[in-house]
Amino acid sequence: MGDVMSKNAISLKHVTKNYQTNDIVIEVIKDLTIDFEYGKLYAIMGHSGVGKSTLIRILGLLDSVTDGEYYLTGKLVSNLSDNQCSEYRNKKIGFIFQDYNLDGYLKAYENVLLPMCINPKYKGTNKKARAKELLEELNLGDRIEHFPRELSGGEQQRVAIARALANNPDIILADEPTGNLDEENEKIIFEKLQQECKKGKCVIIVSHSSEVKKYADKVLEIKNYQIKEII
Amino acid sequence: MSLKACIIISLKKIIRNKKNFYNCISICLCTVIFIAVLLFKNNFNRFINQSLNTNIGFRTLSIQPKSAEADLGHAKIGSLEHIEYVYNSLYDRLTVLSNFQNDTYDGYINFNITSPNFLNKITEGQVLEEDDEGVAICPKEFYPDSHVRNLQISDKNIIDGDSLIGQTFTIDYYAYKLEGTIINKEKLIEREYKIIGVYDSTKVMNANNDCYIAPSDMQNILASKLPLEVNKDTYPFMAIVDDVKNVDTTIRELKALGFADIDYKIQIDPQREDFIKQILIFITLLTILGLILINILYVRKKIEQDSYNIGILRVLGYKKSHIQKFYFIDCLVNLLISILMGIILAILLFYLSYFFYLRKFNYLGFDVKMDLMSFVYALLIILIIGILTSIGVITLKIKKQIMTLIGEKI
Ligand SMILES: Nc1ncnc2c1ncn2[C@@H]1O[C@H](COP(=O)(O)OP(=O)(O)O)[C@@H](O)[C@H]1O
Ligand SMILES: [Mg+2]
């Protein structure tokens, strides 16, 4: 199995996810087996409520699977401790959310610093310089010292992307990253994610926008507990 | 996470978050209260100690006369080893109106008598003889006004006693006469006094209008002021003991001689002292309780309001322990800043109240002081309470799962 894993950033084997509220068990993901490769950009589409966010949370180690196995960069991660999951999230995964989720009391570059602060790789290096560099790549060179409230939605989302890229993760997960943005910003963001994908990262984007198809190597659709490739 | 980066980010967030302001102010006020309580306690104790050692009243006993003896026991009391001087308490003290009375002073001064031995020790210039007449010894910083009791003294109006030596002043009072069973005003008597010496009232914690005259002089004034024959014998004796240390022994000796009713001329009322101590304890406990409550509510609210940001940090890979450390440092920095502010405020308030009031205790020979330990204790108490409550709330609150923290937004 090991050789198959090597080109797969992510591998799900018979994964099931149930939510339990009181006595009711909601089955959201049922026996899902799928691989995501390095260097590819995946677009995940589907109606509201089909479990796209649930899938992203599982992939991002924010939520556990009810059953099945999850391999991340070749290692079984479906039964790791909270601390081990944190370490994977920090080093291997970059997150982008619909609501940007920046810390309002921190300036743009300080938000980008956050993941680097706990990564031993950057200990003793000039983290601020790297944060600046990342922001400059996203055309935010003149916004480094700004607070989130002083930035437009598109600019905030670009700061969030810089933050997601700060630790140079292997995998980038984005849940409706352009849901609140105009077409122009959407374009900048998809282009940047595509560029990262070309560097060998595995990029997974959940989106309602059909624009995403232009950038995706594979477009997947979730329907009736099934995930299907539509292009 | 490196401690340095953590502190830097904490500091930035604290300064930028206006909500911290109210917490800072509350903790700052608690610090001021703690320091005030501790300073009061220390100065209070020091004041009592100093009074015990310097105020002659604490070693003056009031003894009921023994009617069985011809001299009512005067000679027996005086014969005791440690008793320096005995006199009838009727002559202890008299408040008179003097011609110092003007727009500045109300003119009331106190005439006292005391042991010649004691007086010799504190007097500069000529001393009083037992049967002197018309001479007085006044304080070096003389202030002929009854308000000195409440320390209502204005510096610029203090009379330099040295300059008064050799000068005279007059007092006047009414003489009374017993007519049948009724006491009637007879006439206004005026007497002249020459100041022959001065003494340092601060060394014995006397008021600045306390003068000494000769015992026989006092008897003369009172003889004309009151028809004494009626009740002179019922007044207790005042006996001055040579040292506070010897007061207890002397009381025992007096009891052995058959004097039953013995009291101190001045005594610290233990009930009042207890009451003050209880009030201090009450304020302290209330402040501690307030501090705990304020801190718990603050840290809880902060973490709750921040729960989304905490969720984000968790998503970015921060462990629970990271976040706990983060919030702990945040609370600690907040505490330290508040305490520092409190200390500065306390010092400012002290100097202000010193300037406007507390320095007046110097007229009683007592300097109200700040002491380092009060500040150290206040700092430690608040820091320890703050740290403990913060740790408690933080460990309880940061247990939550990521999805509960960020809700359904991801
Ligand atoms: N924490 C939860 N507890 C219970 N049910 C949940 C929870 N999160 C999601 N669900 C349910 O799981 C289903 C899939 O939700 P989600 O993954 O958010 O869908 P999508 O992102 O595709 O719109 C929905 O029916 C939703 O109500
Ligand atoms: Mg969703």
Side-chain angles (χ1 to χ4, degrees):
Chain A
M1 222 193 266
D3 50 332
V4 183
M5 294 294 160
S6 57
K7 78 172 170 73
N8 287 339
I10 285 171
S11 221
L12 296 181
K13 309 269 177 213
H14 308 291
V15 164
T16 297
K17 176 68 185 174
N18 299 333
Y19 284 118
Q20 176 132 22
T21 6
N22 302 325
D23 295 338
I24 311 159
V25 177
I26 307 169
E27 212 170 29
V28 184
I29 295 172
K30 210 155 70 178
D31 193 28
L32 178 68
T33 298
I34 188 171
D35 294 336
F36 295 93
E37 293 172 23
Y38 286 115
K40 285 206 170 131
L41 195 152
Y42 297 85
I44 297 178
M45 310 193 75
H47 293 296
S48 178
V50 293
K52 305 182 294 294
S53 295
T54 305
L55 179 62
I56 284 283
R57 283 179 217 153
I58 286 174
L59 296 181
L61 294 171
L62 299 179
D63 213 344
S64 55
V65 299
T66 310
D67 199 14
E69 287 158 1
Y70 172 15
Y71 294 88
L72 182 88
T73 63
K75 295 187 187 69
L76 184 67
V77 294
S78 34
N79 46 16
L80 291 183
S81 73
D82 188 65
N83 278 348
Q84 287 168 317
C85 283
S86 297
E87 229 161 276
Y88 268 100
R89 277 199 300 275
N90 183 242
K91 290 173 189 159
K92 304 285 184 199
I93 301 168
F95 271 101
I96 301 158
F97 315 101
Q98 182 171 357
D99 297 324
Y100 332 130
N101 301 326
L102 301 173
D103 189 324
Y105 294 117
L106 297 179
K107 293 176 180 174
Y109 82 88
E110 289 163 344
N111 267 290
V112 180
L113 278 181
L114 283 175
M116 288 189 267
C117 281
I118 50 166
N119 190 340
K121 191 166 89 181
Y122 293 106
K123 207 172 176 183
T125 65
N126 189 344
K127 295 187 270 286
K128 185 173 176 181
R130 174 165 168 79
K132 263 184 178 172
E133 219 172 275
L134 285 163
L135 288 168
E136 271 159 13
E137 281 172 28
L138 285 149
N139 295 331
L140 291 168
D142 52 347
R143 298 292 194 174
I144 286 163
E145 302 276 350
H146 285 232
F147 285 99
R149 60 173 182 276
E150 300 161 349
L151 301 174
S152 73
E155 286 165 335
Q156 287 189 53
Q157 191 60 299
R158 279 183 275 153
V159 175
I161 290 173
R163 185 179 63 184
L165 298 175
N167 277 342
N168 198 20
D170 293 332
I171 295 145
I172 294 170
L173 304 173
D175 194 354
E176 316 240 15
T178 60
N180 296 340
L181 301 181
D182 54 49
E183 283 159 34
E184 199 179 323
N185 271 298
E186 185 172 56
K187 192 162 166 264
I188 298 172
I189 283 160
F190 285 151
E191 270 171 9
K192 179 67 187 171
L193 291 177
Q194 191 177 42
Q195 200 183 317
E196 289 302 314
C197 172
K198 297 241 165 74
K199 290 182 194 165
K201 294 185 201 314
C202 167
V203 181
I204 302 171
I205 305 173
V206 168
S207 182
H208 274 116
S209 158
S210 51
E211 277 296 298
V212 75
K213 293 178 190 164
K214 289 187 196 161
Y215 303 89
D217 297 304
K218 282 190 180 179
V219 179
L220 308 170
E221 192 185 14
I222 305 182
K223 210 174 181 180
N224 302 327
Y225 304 110
Q226 302 283 313
I227 191 158
K228 268 195 224 141
E229 204 172 315
I230 53 176
I231 296 176
Chain B
M1 174 166 34
S2 72
L3 200 67
K4 203 180 116 200
C6 203
I7 291 175
I8 292 171
I9 289 189
S10 267
L11 273 173
K12 285 179 176 168
K13 288 182 86 169
I14 285 172
I15 294 162
R16 291 169 190 169
N17 189 346
K18 304 265 179 309
K19 283 171 208 140
N20 286 324
F21 180 74
Y22 298 104
N23 179 259
C24 266
I25 293 295
S26 326
I27 293 180
C28 170
L29 288 182
C30 289
T31 314
V32 173
I33 295 173
F34 269 121
I35 292 174
V37 166
L38 289 167
L39 286 181
F40 179 84
K41 180 185 136 268
N42 289 347
N43 278 295
F44 181 71
N45 287 343
R46 220 160 42 81
F47 184 79
I48 285 178
N49 267 332
Q50 189 180 326
S51 303
L52 278 173
N53 288 318
T54 56
N55 190 331
I56 195 171
F58 286 98
R59 56 182 169 100
T60 303
L61 297 173
S62 143
I63 306 158
Q64 282 303 324
K66 264 205 315 204
S67 48
E69 312 219 357
D71 68 348
L72 303 167
H74 188 290
K76 267 193 180 169
I77 297 171
S79 70
L80 288 178
E81 186 192 348
H82 294 297
I83 286 188
E84 205 173 276
Y85 191 68
V86 190
Y87 58 95
N88 191 305
S89 65
L90 175 61
Y91 307 122
D92 186 47
R93 174 194 197 82
L94 180 67
T95 302
V96 291
L97 183 60
S98 69
N99 69 339
F100 286 109
Q101 186 183 36
N102 58 23
D103 291 343
T104 316
Y105 315 108
D106 68 7
Y108 285 97
I109 57 178
N110 300 314
F111 277 169
N112 298 274
I113 64 168
T114 191
S115 125
N117 177 28
F118 173 71
L119 203 53
N120 284 349
K121 274 192 225 158
I122 60 172
T123 307
E124 285 170 27
Q126 225 175 308
V127 296
L128 288 173
E129 300 297 334
E130 188 80 9
D131 49 5
D132 268 343
E133 272 208 32
V135 291
I137 289 177
C138 292
K140 265 187 193 172
E141 296 190 320
F142 190 41
Y143 205 88
D145 191 299
S146 58
H147 295 92
V148 295
R149 287 272 140 208
N150 310 322
L151 299 176
Q152 289 175 28
I153 299 176
S154 80
D155 298 324
K156 62 177 198 299
N157 293 328
I158 288 176
I159 301 170
D160 177 9
D162 288 319
S163 74
L164 282 178
I165 292 186
Q167 296 204 32
T168 57
F169 64 91
T170 58
I171 61 160
D172 49 46
Y173 58 89
Y174 278 99
Y176 291 81
K177 188 165 66 175
L178 189 67
E179 283 166 353
T181 51
I182 305 159
I183 297 174
N184 286 323
K185 249 183 209 174
E186 193 186 15
K187 60 177 182 218
L188 189 70
I189 298 180
E190 193 177 273
R191 270 174 185 254
E192 193 177 78
Y193 280 86
K194 186 175 167 195
I195 299 174
I196 57 163
V198 289
Y199 76 103
D200 189 346
S201 61
T202 63
K203 289 231 169 73
V204 289
M205 297 185 100
N206 269 2
N208 296 52
N209 67 342
D210 273 331
C211 295
Y212 289 101
I213 58 170
S216 61
D217 209 357
M218 182 76 102
Q219 284 174 29
N220 288 338
I221 299 176
L222 282 165
S224 54
K225 194 170 158 60
L226 293 170
L228 295 173
E229 297 73 20
V230 204
N231 49 10
K232 179 180 164 188
D233 293 355
T234 62
Y235 281 85
F237 289 115
M238 286 292 169
I240 299 174
V241 179
D242 57 3
D243 198 305
V244 209
K245 289 199 295 278
N246 299 325
V247 168
D248 288 340
T249 334
T250 306
I251 291 177
R252 250 178 279 126
E253 286 169 358
L254 283 166
K255 284 192 173 152
L257 285 175
F259 292 94
D261 207 343
I262 305 166
D263 213 337
Y264 297 87
K265 182 177 174 189
I266 315 178
Q267 195 180 13
I268 293 154
D269 181 352
Q271 258 180 328
R272 198 147 157 204
E273 207 185 350
D274 282 351
F275 179 69
I276 290 175
K277 281 183 183 157
Q278 278 161 8
I279 293 251
L280 290 184
I281 291 172
F282 180 72
I283 296 174
T284 309
L285 289 180
L286 212 68
T287 318
I288 289 180
L289 207 75
L291 192 68
I292 293 175
L293 225 70
I294 289 168
N295 216 40
I296 287 180
L297 288 179
Y298 166 72
V299 182
R300 250 184 56 169
K301 201 167 157 211
K302 185 189 187 87
I303 292 177
E304 259 158 31
Q305 284 176 343
D306 254 18
S307 78
Y308 193 63
N309 279 338
I310 295 173
I312 300 310
L313 286 175
R314 298 279 286 126
V315 170
L316 295 177
Y318 282 69
K319 295 174 186 167
K320 278 176 191 165
S321 58
H322 282 135
I323 309 235
Q324 282 164 355
K325 200 158 98 185
F326 201 94
Y327 276 88
F328 178 67
I329 290 176
D330 189 314
C331 290
L332 193 68
V333 171
N334 215 333
L335 264 175
L336 286 173
I337 291 176
S338 314
I339 295 174
L340 194 76
M341 272 165 50
I343 288 177
I344 293 171
L345 189 65
I347 293 176
L348 278 177
L349 286 176
F350 179 86
Y351 278 123
L352 264 179
S353 41
Y354 191 83
F355 181 77
F356 284 111
Y357 181 68
L358 295 176
R359 79 192 159 87
K360 304 228 162 163
F361 278 89
N362 281 308
Y363 294 121
L364 285 178
F366 182 76
D367 193 21
V368 182
K369 275 188 205 151
M370 286 192 281
D371 59 295
L372 183 67
M373 284 325 279
S374 293
F375 286 86
V376 173
Y377 281 134
L379 179 114
L380 286 181
I381 292 171
I382 296 178
L383 209 56
I384 289 170
I385 293 174
I387 288 175
L388 288 181
T389 45
S390 303
I391 288 179
V393 179
I394 289 169
T395 30
L396 280 178
K397 278 272 155 185
I398 304 209
K399 270 190 185 154
K400 286 186 186 165
Q401 292 303 314
I402 303 178
M403 292 320 300
T404 350
L405 287 166
I406 31 186
E408 297 306 314
K409 289 205 181 170
I410 294 174

